[in-house]
Structure formats: C-alpha cells, structure tokens
Amino acid sequence: MTPSTAPDPATVRALLAGFGDRAAGEVGEEIGSLELTWLIAQFEQAYSVIVELDDAELARIETVEQAANALRTVLGLPALDSA
C-alpha cells in the first residue's frame, strides 16, 4: 500500500490485518474501539497525516466502510458510494 492509494474497504482491511496478525480476509465488517485506534495509528503512519476526529465522529465509525469514508474525509476525498 502506498500513500497514493485512496482509502477504501480493502485498504482498511489491509491496515487492520496487522492488528492480531491476521489476513485481510479474516477482518470482519464491524470495527471495535481497539481496532479503530490501531487503524488510525497505522493510517497516520502510512499517509503521513494526523487524523483529527472528535469523539462524536469516532463513535459513528462502527464498520470497515464507515472507517474508509472517515479516512477519505481526512484526505479531502469524496465518500464512497454505498451499495
């Protein structure tokens, strides 16, 4: 993964795979608070940015897709279309 890769669910799963040393395919759709903390730290490192989300924004991130959209917002990118 490179910083030029726009965050999408596959990118989020790849980052989350490092939490618990698992394959990206083993990452479920729901994200717990520890996984979210890990994801943000990994995202900041990979993309050389600081994620500044308030508590309400963080509380709304419960799924891989929601995380991808929140991280896209941090980079100034449009949200992904939901199916």
Side-chain angles (χ1 to χ4, degrees), residues 9-34:
T11 303
V12 169
R13 281 189 173 87
L15 289 169
L16 284 171
F19 184 77
D21 194 28
R22 55 195 165 161
E26 296 174 350
V27 175
E29 180 59 25
E30 293 185 11
I31 297 177
S33 59
L34 290 177

Side-chain angles (χ1 to χ4, degrees), residues 13-74:
R13 281 189 173 87
L15 289 169
L16 284 171
F19 184 77
D21 194 28
R22 55 195 165 161
E26 296 174 350
V27 175
E29 180 59 25
E30 293 185 11
I31 297 177
S33 59
L34 290 177
E35 287 177 308
L36 182 57
T37 301
W38 170 271
L39 174 63
I40 289 171
Q42 296 303 303
F43 179 81
E44 288 178 336
Q45 192 170 43
Y47 287 81
S48 299
V49 297
I50 295 175
V51 175
E52 293 184 7
L53 300 172
D54 64 31
D55 290 342
E57 291 169 312
L58 290 170
R60 285 192 296 269
I61 301 172
E62 297 177 345
T63 66
V64 167
E65 186 173 346
Q66 290 169 343
N69 282 326
L71 297 176
R72 291 175 69 85
T73 299
V74 168

